[in-house]
Each structure stands twice: as C-alpha cells, then as structure tokens.
Amino acid sequence: MFMLESHLSADQNRVLAEVQSAAGEANLSLFLTGGAMRDMLAGFPIRDLDFTTEGEAAKLAKALASRLHAAISEDDEGRGAFELRVPGGLTAQIAMARRERYPKPGAKPEVSPATIHEDLRYRDFTVNSIALSLNRASRGLLIDPTNGLGDIERKELRTAYNYALYDDPSRILRLVRLRVRLAFAIEERTASQYANVRAEKLEEKIPPRRLFEELRQIADEPNPTDVLHALEQENLLGVFSAALTGGKLNTAGLARLQKAQQAVPAGVKFPVQNFGLFLSFLTEKFTPKDKAALVKTTAMRKAEVEAWQKLDTHAKKLERDLKSPKLNRPSHVYNALSKVPGEEILFVLARTQARVVQDRIRNYLQKYLPMAQEVTDDEVKAVGVQPGTPKFEKAKLELIGKKLNARPKKPAPEEVEPPPPAPPPTGPAPLRRAYSRQPSAR
Ligand code: CTP
C-alpha cells in the first residue's frame, strides 16, 4: 500500500480513496488490477487506475461518477466495465470480476461473474494479471495466480493462459504495443502462440470495436510512431486500413505532433483527448474514401468521427484568434487558451506556420499555465469570495491575470534563436524505449 500511495499523483490518490470508501459502503470486494498494478510493480508511472469488484460494478461506478464529477461510459460489449473520466484528465476503470468464454476466435464472449482469481487467470498477459486487495480485512495482499511478478522481473510478456491470443486476437496488437512501450521480450511459448494465430490469419477476425479500442490505445501511447512501425514490421497495419500499408503512413506529420506534445511540461495539468488528434495526423494523406473505410472497419461512432474530423475546423478558428494583435499581454493569451481543449491547442502548435501563434502557445504551455496552476484557492479566498461560485472563478482569473502580467520581463522566445527542426525519422524507429507519459478497457 505504501508503494502504491507513493507511486500515485495527488489526484490519483484522491480517486483511490474515494473508490475504496464507496466500495466499502456498498460492501463490495475491491481490487486494483491490470495496467495500474503492472506499471507500479515495474516502476513505470501509473497512467490510469483499473479497479475490479467481485460482484456488479454498475452501481458503484455510477455513484463514483457523481462523487468525482466524472464522465462515465460503459464498455461496448456490456461486460460490466465502466470508464470514469475525472476532470483534470485522469481515467479510472471500474469492472466486475468476470470470466469470458469465447465460443470461437474473435467472437463475442459469453460473460459471467467470477472471483478475482478466476478473472485474473483468463486475462491477456501475466504481467496484467496481478491484483492488490483494497479490502479492509486483507488490504495490501497481492494476488498473482500466474506469477506475473516473476515475468515483470524477467521483463517478459507471457500469455496468462494458452488460448489468450486465440480467443481474442486483438491481443496480438496489444502484445506488439506493450512490447514496444515496456521494452519487454516476448516469451518463447507466447511467440509460438502468436505465430500460430498469424498462420491462421486470425487478425482478420478482430471485431471492429476492438480495432477501434486498440487505435484509441495507440493514440494514448507515449510514442505512437514506434508502435505503428512495429505493427508495420509485423504486417499488421492493414487490419486498420489498407491505406496505411500503401505508403500513406504519415510519419513526418506524427513526428510534428509528437514534438508539439513534448512542449507540455511534465507535471502541468493539461488534459488532452489524444484520439482525434492522433487520427488527424495519422490520416493526413488519406482520401475521403480512405477515411470512410477506416470509420467502417473500426465501427467508429458519430461522436468519435467528429472528435477527429472537426478538429481541423476548430483549430483553424483558434489559429486565427491567436494571430490577433489584441493579444498583447500574457493574461490575454492565457484567457484565450485556458478554456480551449488541449487537443485543439496541440493541433495548432503542430500545424501552424505562423511564428506568433507558435510563440503564444509555447508561452502559454511553458510559462503561463504552470504559473496559473500555482495560484491556490486560499489566495483567492483572501479576496473575500467563496469557492464554487462564478464570482470565485472570475476573481481567480483576475488574480492569475495580474500575476502573469506582473512577471519581470524576460527575453521572449521571439528574440531567441529557434532550435533547428527535428529531422524526420528515417527507417524503422528503435523499439526499445521506456515511456514517460500518461492512459482504457478490457
Ligand atoms: N485485458 C485483457 N484482454 C484485452 C484487453 C484487456 O485481458 N483484450 C485486461 C488486461 O489485464 C489489462 C486490463 O484488461 O491490463 C485493462 O485493459 P486496458 O485498460 O486496455 O489496458 P492496460 O493494461 O491497463 O494498459 P494501459 O496502460 O495501456 O492502459
């Protein structure tokens, strides 16, 4: 528990405490599972929190959504899993412990409630099949029926059971992605199971929504281009889109996007919905027909298509606004950007040719936002307004504005020689790279 709490950010610890207390009130057995456990034990930053309950998770998830003011969505296939998006960008998954039986490869699984032990035994990889009890009587107990801890120590990806890839072939995509992100090796028997699945061309049986989910996960990777190259080498990019295998993989555009993402300083709260952003750059060279085919192959929903295809229009407007000569004080730039979704800002930063726009966004991300986030509610309360009211928000914005405008003048980046642009990567990118950034559903 100590290891866990010291690994989590303040926001994650707050969510952990709320989930534990709500599960206690509902008398549900609660466990921390999946990627959160893997990342903690392997020493990586924890991206999102995966909780598993013995017994139905729906009520608990809904109660938590209201307690945490989070957006809630249920998984596509009705498997009793819910995702909460907490304001500030954190995601937590609350899922019922379950056994999934696949009548044939890639088929819709038959789902039944299970114990935590059974749930863990039928997951994808051993490193993802570890649980930590968060129950009063056994808090801190590690449950590791497939010896995932041993595989974390060996840095190996091993299937949790012999049919893991055969049952759910989308796991071959996960295998490639996790291999790249964690820089783990694929254990020998798992490699031969992978080869068998490929020999039977089971990648063609991956259900559309699982392809979608995987695309969303790639978008959240710290280095999506490396994952795409690894999938290309494995001849797997075609499962998403034929255009990606026909020379339309937009490596240069994705490198520009990655450079923009790296402009966000570590530790600064700057929520970004990566999916639409990533797809916009991935499909930059696609024809409308290619795009329509991708929507169909992944059974993308209207809201998802819009998050991707409307970004361009929103970003154009933002770029125009940011060119305005009226934005001549830091507070003006801060006010113009602080209500805009992170993905729009990064889209503009990666695409714009206008120097003034680049400088304003960089200043916002690297100076104004960190400074604004240092302003505490207590400082605002001192002005005599109560938190939670519109007046309070207004007073806070004014206080931030004052502080930003009062900063001693330092040389603005306009006056500094810009670094040369990064050369586009040539050839396949190295696969062995540790990850450093933040975010999904079984
Ligand atoms: N899982 C599985 N089979 C899948 C997808 C997920 O067995 N096809 C299990 C794994 O145990 C995984 C957990 O469900 O750890 C949660 O899935 P997800 O959130 O997609 O992945 P994470 O492992 O949490 O990875 P990430 O760090 O990318 O969020």
Side-chain angles (χ1 to χ4, degrees):
M1 289 305 296
F2 170 74
M3 190 172 171
L4 173 64
E5 280 159 21
S6 50
H7 243 82
L8 298 179
S9 66
D11 279 355
Q12 287 172 325
N13 262 314
R14 186 174 61 89
V15 171
L16 174 71
E18 288 283 358
V19 179
Q20 287 188 95
S21 103
E25 282 163 28
N27 227 352
L28 275 176
S29 294
L30 180 74
F31 304 86
L32 186 71
T33 48
M37 285 304 294
R38 175 198 66 223
D39 290 342
M40 174 181 73
L41 294 167
F44 293 117
I46 298 178
R47 294 147 52 100
D48 53 356
L49 296 171
D50 304 307
F51 297 97
T52 303
T53 59
E54 279 183 335
E56 233 220 88
K59 261 198 192 151
L60 175 68
K62 284 175 195 158
L64 279 164
S66 95
R67 264 158 99 150
L68 294 163
H69 309 289
I72 181 170
S73 55
E74 190 173 355
D75 87 292
D76 287 340
E77 298 166 40
R79 288 176 295 174
F82 297 82
E83 189 171 275
L84 304 181
R85 284 191 171 262
V86 184
L90 200 139
T91 54
Q93 196 194 111
I94 320 275
M96 170 186 76
R98 60 191 189 264
R99 171 79 204 268
E100 292 178 355
R101 289 186 176 80
Y102 291 82
K104 54 182 184 192
K108 193 171 182 319
E110 289 155 12
V111 178
S112 52
T115 62
I116 187 71
H117 284 85
E118 202 180 5
D119 175 293
L120 294 172
R121 262 196 207 106
Y122 293 96
R123 287 185 176 233
D124 53 1
F125 307 111
T126 60
V127 296
N128 290 339
S129 305
I130 308 173
L132 183 77
S133 168
L134 299 173
N135 302 304
R136 222 164 277 143
S138 55
R139 182 161 296 145
L141 180 76
L142 207 65
I143 308 170
D144 182 14
T146 62
N147 192 20
L149 203 51
D151 287 331
I152 288 178
E153 274 162 20
R154 278 188 291 276
K155 296 188 187 297
E156 277 184 355
L157 288 166
R158 179 192 311 266
T159 45
Y161 67 103
N162 289 344
Y163 292 95
L165 304 181
Y166 185 83
D167 277 350
D168 175 2
S170 76
R171 290 171 171 160
I172 62 173
L173 305 173
R174 292 175 60 81
L175 182 68
V176 174
R177 179 164 56 81
L178 285 173
R179 185 196 68 187
V180 173
R181 191 208 308 161
L182 306 174
F184 279 16
I186 298 179
E187 172 274 332
E188 215 172 297
R189 267 177 60 184
T190 304
S192 77
Q193 290 158 7
Y194 171 87
N196 291 341
V197 164
R198 296 304 307 277
E200 288 192 42
K201 295 194 182 349
L202 294 184
E203 65 273 15
E204 292 169 7
K205 304 264 187 258
I206 302 176
R209 284 304 288 181
R210 296 233 173 157
L211 285 175
F212 172 82
E213 186 53 37
E214 188 55 30
L215 213 47
R216 202 170 74 120
Q217 302 258 26
I218 297 173
D220 279 331
E221 283 293 315
N223 200 337
T225 318
D226 281 359
V227 176
L228 293 171
H229 281 138
L231 291 170
E232 190 177 37
Q233 274 165 8
E234 294 295 326
N235 260 330
L236 279 170
L237 272 187
V239 299
F240 298 105
S241 155
L244 289 176
T245 58
K248 291 186 189 168
L249 180 58
N250 182 26
T251 313
L254 288 165
R256 266 188 283 128
L257 173 60
Q258 199 160 334
K259 199 168 160 233
Q261 287 167 325
Q262 285 163 354
V264 183
V268 167
K269 275 192 207 159
F270 184 70
V272 175
Q273 299 275 354
N274 287 315
F275 178 70
L277 188 59
F278 167 73
L279 272 199
S280 301
F281 284 82
L282 179 73
T283 61
E284 214 173 326
K285 299 183 189 168
F286 277 30
T287 62
K289 215 171 148 196
D290 297 332
K291 289 186 185 172
L294 179 62
V295 169
K296 195 163 173 230
T297 310
T298 58
M300 217 180 282
R301 300 190 176 131
K302 197 163 167 250
E304 294 153 355
V305 176
E306 284 178 0
W308 156 32
Q309 299 192 356
K310 292 210 166 151
L311 199 51
D312 194 19
T313 323
H314 295 161
K316 280 202 178 104
K317 180 179 177 306
L318 177 63
E319 187 179 6
R320 268 197 314 274
D321 294 349
L322 285 175
K323 283 182 182 162
S324 164
K326 289 187 190 148
L327 303 183
N328 53 12
R329 310 203 70 186
S331 62
H332 299 157
V333 175
Y334 180 82
N335 292 349
L337 285 170
S338 60
K339 297 270 175 314
V340 177
E343 54 276 16
E344 278 178 40
I345 298 177
L346 293 184
F347 186 104
V348 175
L349 181 60
R351 283 266 176 91
T352 186
Q353 301 288 327
R355 189 57 201 268
V356 65
V357 175
Q358 287 178 10
D359 289 342
R360 284 178 173 161
I361 294 181
R362 283 188 189 279
N363 279 341
Y364 171 75
L365 293 173
Q366 293 167 0
K367 295 185 194 163
Y368 311 155
L369 200 55
M371 203 170 166
Q373 288 180 3
E374 277 171 19
V375 174
T376 63
D377 284 1
D378 284 344
E379 282 177 78
V380 190
K381 270 194 242 161
V383 185
V385 280
Q386 276 314 302
T389 60
K391 258 192 177 166
F392 184 87
E393 290 312 314
K394 198 168 161 239
K396 189 165 186 177
L397 204 61
E398 277 170 14
L399 188 62
I400 290 173
K402 252 192 214 156
K403 289 199 175 202
L404 293 177
N405 293 342
R407 293 183 76 236
K409 200 166 161 24
K410 283 197 191 138
E414 282 96 333
E415 296 153 29
V416 176
E417 195 57 33
T426 51
L431 296 187
R432 302 201 151 253
R433 199 171 294 176
Y435 84 93
S436 60
R437 195 169 50 94
Q438 276 217 4
S440 159
R442 181 147 77 109

